[in-house]
């Protein structure tokens, strides 16, 4: 029970001190008593005058018990008599109890008021557990065997012993009344109504002493921390906690308006880590992700890490695909797999989750994850949470429309945060009319306002229906591109690129985005000269735009092809760059442009050698398409690459299913080129092409003069 009490009540804020679990083993009788006296004295001096907002009676009762122990210890530390062995065992147990008491009292003194209120029953139970263990200790303690103990000390210990035997679980009625009142406010939102503002003011300001925006934000952040660290056996549930966060956020603006707090309008918030948009939603940041948090296959931050039979950890989707493709070995070590079971690595996921929270990186659980076993996964929002957030959004949008410059900046920041999670939040924020007001802020001269507005637009754009609203808003796309080109901060420019990526998920918008003046040029510039996360956002946006065939010429004119070729040497974006090039070279004009890039073929070859599995797949696909669409000159450059034969041989047996298929097609091209060179007496690629053009087709119209003889066995797929 001791260990459970510490972990269940204290895991939220800090790990218990090691001394809470290890009793001293190398102290003499006198040293042990002196140590206990020092700990007791320190504890009393820190907490006897402390003002506990909740758990006042339980805290005072515990401190008084410790004061009696201190009287006993002060008397014994000056004694010369030897303590009985049973007394020493009791004092070692007391050592543990004192440290647990210190941690629990510190927790009650420093924790959020709202969290202590919600945990009123649980924390009261932990105080009761300590009282019971103190009672057990006193029952075992051989008071009669301790000689030279004065009568007054003995009487105090005996009195404490009798009182401890009678101790009962105590739950403060006033605290419990406030807790019920807090739940009642949530029930009002659950019914689709809005609580009375004066009652909310009385509760938050009068009863809890939350008197300004800063203290209210501290409460919100603490509750959000509990959601992140939530464990399945703790009440209230994540859904209910989300409701309380929404309620408290609503009260923050209803009661305290838009006064600044520590994260107000200062430039400090500009440098907050933020998410980078990579696939179809906002995903991991590109601030140096710890290597152990990245999947060895995809090199991306793991969302659902699993352990295979060799003990290595991978992202579930990546290793599952590896196994589905017929591989029976560990990708990292090469060891044969004993079985194909995937065991969730919850310890690593917990560390990843904590790192993401510390750096502001959202980590939504994968759709296939078993939410019942991953208690920290996002729970479905309750109606109370939705209604409270809706009411908050109305206040924020009203401030965006009519507020001061500072108020609009704070409102944009809060909309940005509110739109971070939940499609429902994103939906009603846009429905309430936030997008036109955010568009105006995009061109603000205030860097913080601009950054918050473009990031809010990014978060809103994740919801598919909002993509239409943003694109239909007159001048909105142009303003986003303007931020991408001339944004006041690096963060704003990167988020503008991420917004274009999000919007380009709709096929019909890809041409409009590419045709917007300066958009592709700015993306290419960001890919060349941006930060790692900026490059990531830029290359994914360019990749999406490249999937529209009508954008090929625009990509060439804007310098995107040159930027993509240069990005092949950057490990962080090479995979997407190769994928974009594979799309562009499908058209003859694109293949011609890529073929003119001196480092294109060399960069793709290097990626086949050192890239990720998907990167190798994209690289061989790009080379194949270059041969198909680029004519004799491009084909000759590819087939004369001296390292390609060995790389294709390796890829045919170790690559992904798609990579093996592409490698096999490219290998057939080489075989035809080799045969043509032999039959034509080495007259060259051009002559061979001319002689076979009548029967040419997409897969078979290749011949060439290969400088290094190649013989590649092509498996039947």
């Amino acid at each position: 029970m001791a260990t459970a009490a510490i972990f269940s009540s204290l895991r939220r804020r800090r790990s218990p001190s090691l001394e809470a679990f290890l009793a001293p083993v190398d102290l003499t009788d006198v040293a042990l008593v002196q140590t206990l006296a020092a700990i007791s004295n320190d504890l009393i001096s820190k907490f006897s005058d402390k003002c506990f907002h909740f758990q006042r009676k339980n805290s005072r009762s515990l401190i008084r018990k410790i004061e009696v122990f201190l009287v006993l210890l002060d008397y014994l530390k000056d004694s010369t008599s030897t303590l009985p062995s049973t007394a020493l065992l009791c004092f070692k147990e007391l050592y543990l109890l004192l440290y647990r008491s210190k941690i629990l009292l510190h927790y009650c003194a420093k924790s959020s008021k709202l969290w202590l209120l919600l945990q009123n029953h649980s924390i009261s139970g932990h105080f009761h557990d300590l009282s019971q263990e103190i009672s057990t200790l006193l029952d075992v303690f051989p008071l009669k065997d301790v000689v030279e103990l004065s009568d007054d000390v003995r009487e105090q210990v005996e009195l404490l012993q009798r009182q401890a035997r009678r101790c009962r679980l105590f739950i403060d009625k006033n605290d419990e009344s406030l807790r019920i009142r807090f739940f009642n406010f949530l029930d009002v939102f659950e019914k689709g109504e809005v609580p009375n503002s004066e009652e909310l003011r009385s509760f938050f300001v009068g009863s809890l002493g939350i008197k300004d925006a800063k203290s209210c934000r501290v409460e919100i952040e603490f509750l959000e921390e509990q959601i992140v660290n939530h464990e399945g056996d703790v009440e209230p549930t994540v859904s209910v906690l989300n409701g309380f966060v929404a309620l408290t956020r609503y009260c923050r603006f209803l009661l305290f308006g838009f006064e600044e707090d520590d994260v107000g309008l200062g430039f400090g918030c500009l440098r907050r880590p933020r998410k980078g948009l990579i696939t179809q939603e906002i995903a991991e940041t590109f601030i140096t992700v710890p290597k152990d948090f990245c999947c060895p296959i995809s090199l991306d931050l793991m969302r659902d890490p699993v352990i295979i039979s060799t003990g290595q950890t991978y992202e579930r989707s990546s290793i599952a695909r590896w196994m589905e493709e017929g591989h029976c070995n560990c990708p990292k070590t090469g060891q044969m797999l004993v079985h194909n079971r995937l065991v969730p690595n919850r310890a690593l996921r917990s560390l990843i989750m904590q790192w993401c929270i510390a750096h502001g990186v959202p980590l939504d659980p994968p759709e296939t994850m078993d939410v019942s076993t991953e208690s920290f996964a996002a729970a479905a929002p309750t109606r109370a949470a939705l209604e409270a957030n809706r009411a908050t959004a109305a206040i924020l949008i009203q401030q965006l429309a009519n507020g001061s410059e500072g108020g609009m900046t704070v409102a944009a920041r809060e909309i940005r945060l509110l739109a971070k999670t939940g499609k429902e939040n994103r939906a009603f924020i846009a429905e309430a009319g936030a997008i036109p007001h955010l568009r105006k802020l995009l061109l603000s001269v205030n860097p913080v306002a601009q950054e918050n507005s473009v990031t809010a637009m990014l978060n809103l754009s994740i919801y598919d229906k909002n993509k239409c609203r943003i694109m239909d808003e007159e001048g909105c796309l142009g303003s986003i591109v303007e931020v991408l080109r001339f944004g006041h901060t690096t963060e704003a420019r990167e988020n503008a690129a991420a917004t274009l990526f999000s919007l380009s998920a709709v096929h019909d918008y890809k041409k409009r985005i590419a045709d917007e003046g300066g958009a592709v040029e700015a993306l290419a510039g960001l890919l060349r000269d941006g930060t790692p996360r900026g490059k990531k956002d830029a290359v994914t946006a360019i990749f999406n735009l490249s999937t529209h065939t009508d954008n090929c010429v625009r990509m060439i004119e804007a310098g995107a092809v040159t930027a993509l070729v240069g990005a092949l040497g950057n490990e962080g974006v090479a995979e997407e760059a190769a994928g974009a090039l594979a799309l562009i070279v499908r058209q003859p004009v694109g293949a011609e442009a890529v073929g003119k890039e001196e480092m294109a073929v060399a960069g793709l070859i290097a990626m086949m050698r050192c890239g990720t599995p998907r990167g190798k797949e994209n690289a061989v696909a790009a080379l194949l398409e270059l041969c198909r669409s680029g004519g004799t000159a491009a084909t000759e450059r590819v087939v004369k690459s001296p390292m390609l034969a060995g790389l294709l041989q390796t890829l045919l047996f170790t690559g992904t299913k798609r990579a093996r298929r592409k490698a096999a097609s490219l290998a057939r091209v080489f075989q035809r080129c080799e045969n043509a060179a032999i039959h034509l007496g080495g007259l060259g690629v051009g002559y061979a092409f001319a002689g076979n053009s009548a029967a040419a087709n997409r897969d078979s119209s290749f011949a060439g003069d290969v400088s290094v003889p190649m013989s590649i066995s092509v498996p039947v797929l």
Side-chain angles (χ1 to χ4, degrees), residues 361-396:
V361 182
L363 187 70
D364 296 328
E367 295 177 0
T368 56
M369 181 176 292
D370 182 1
V371 177
S372 65
T373 61
E374 299 290 344
S375 56
F376 43 73
T382 61
R383 184 183 181 186
L386 292 176
E387 294 300 327
N389 283 333
R390 193 187 302 274
T392 303
I395 298 175
L396 297 174

Side-chain angles (χ1 to χ4, degrees), residues 330-549:
C330 173
K332 190 171 183 180
T333 66
Q335 294 176 265
M336 296 302 295
L337 301 179
V338 179
H339 56 73
N340 288 344
R341 289 195 301 274
L342 304 178
V343 181
N345 191 337
R346 294 192 178 92
L348 179 59
R349 175 163 168 77
S350 178
L351 292 174
I352 293 174
M353 176 188 64
Q354 293 173 26
W355 180 87
C356 287
I357 291 302
H359 291 81
V361 182
L363 187 70
D364 296 328
E367 295 177 0
T368 56
M369 181 176 292
D370 182 1
V371 177
S372 65
T373 61
E374 299 290 344
S375 56
F376 43 73
T382 61
R383 184 183 181 186
L386 292 176
E387 294 300 327
N389 283 333
R390 193 187 302 274
T392 303
I395 298 175
L396 297 174
I397 293 169
Q398 183 179 8
Q399 184 68 18
L400 278 179
N402 305 311
S404 63
E405 180 182 350
M408 287 190 289
T409 302
V410 173
R413 182 195 69 206
E414 292 302 321
I415 288 177
R416 163 186 181 171
L417 297 175
L418 194 59
K420 251 173 93 171
T421 55
K423 66 179 182 179
E424 296 86 357
N425 291 350
R426 296 170 187 135
F428 62 64
I429 289 172
E431 290 167 0
I435 290 173
H437 302 300
L438 290 171
R439 180 191 64 77
K440 296 176 184 177
L441 273 184
L442 288 174
L443 303 181
S444 171
V445 297
N446 183 331
V448 184
Q450 183 186 71
E451 183 180 310
N452 282 324
S453 60
V454 74
T455 309
M457 200 76 78
L458 166 61
N459 292 344
L460 290 172
S461 71
I462 296 172
Y463 182 53
D464 286 342
K465 291 184 179 179
N466 287 346
K467 291 178 172 62
C468 178
R469 293 187 175 102
I470 292 171
M471 294 295 289
D472 290 346
E473 176 65 27
E474 184 178 356
C476 194
L477 176 59
S479 297
I480 294 169
V481 173
E482 195 75 5
V483 176
L484 172 62
R485 299 176 67 192
F486 308 113
H488 299 308
T489 68
T490 301
E491 185 91 1
R493 294 191 293 273
E494 292 170 352
N495 284 350
T499 305
L500 293 184
F501 166 72
S502 178
L503 295 172
S504 65
V506 179
H507 185 76
D508 292 344
Y509 297 154
K510 293 175 182 178
K511 187 73 168 66
R512 283 181 59 187
I513 294 171
D515 289 342
E516 188 69 32
V520 181
E521 288 86 349
L523 288 172
L526 188 61
L527 179 56
R528 284 193 304 270
D529 307 318
T531 65
R533 60 191 178 191
K535 290 176 185 286
K536 193 75 170 180
D537 287 331
V539 75
T540 48
I542 292 174
F543 178 89
N544 254 16
L545 297 178
S546 300
T547 61
H548 197 296
T549 56

Side-chain angles (χ1 to χ4, degrees), residues 10 32 61-63 68 81 115 145 152 154 223 230 236 312 340-341 374 381 400 404 410 446 572 631 660 687 695:
L10 306 178
L32 176 60
S61 175
L62 180 58
I63 292 170
V68 174
S81 60
W115 178 249
D145 296 337
D152 60 326
R154 190 181 299 274
L223 291 179
H230 191 273
Q312 299 296 322
N340 288 344
R341 289 195 301 274
E374 299 290 344
L400 278 179
S404 63
V410 173
N446 183 331
R660 294 200 303 271
Y687 186 88

